[in-house]
Amino acid sequence: ELDKRKQRRLARKRARQINKTLPTAAETLAAAAETLAAALNRWVQSIKPALATLCENMAAAFSNVAAGLREESEAVEND
């Protein structure tokens, strides 16, 4: 019987400790998530110019390929 009482006391004590630390842990986790989201947003913003340049270069390359294909097609038609 004493062991069961000690176990219940220990369980209540641990529950109180968890109740004290749980809000702090949740706040810490929320702050970490906000920091991560902000860092991800800054990273995305920083690569946008590079992505724009990449897309422009790819568009120019495809345009050149299309022009070359048109020229070849016209040359075949004219022969």
Side-chain angles (χ1 to χ4, degrees):
E1 185 66 29
L2 282 178
D3 281 349
K4 289 182 182 180
R5 279 190 224 154
K6 284 183 181 180
Q7 289 175 359
R8 285 192 299 263
R9 259 190 241 133
L10 183 59
R12 284 193 302 268
K13 182 178 178 180
R14 289 199 173 139
R16 284 192 300 272
Q17 289 172 340
I18 289 171
N19 285 337
K20 287 180 186 176
T21 58
L22 194 57
T24 304
E27 290 171 6
T28 302
L29 185 57
E34 287 179 23
T35 301
L36 181 60
L40 185 58
N41 188 40
R42 284 192 304 272
W43 177 75
V44 168
Q45 294 301 323
S46 71
I47 65 167
K48 279 184 179 180
L51 286 175
T53 301
L54 175 66
C55 290
E56 289 166 353
N57 290 338
M58 288 177 64
F62 280 120
S63 179
N64 290 338
V65 169
L69 292 172
R70 268 192 221 97
E71 287 177 9
E72 288 179 15
S73 178
E74 290 172 1
V76 168
E77 287 176 8
N78 292 334
D79 284 342

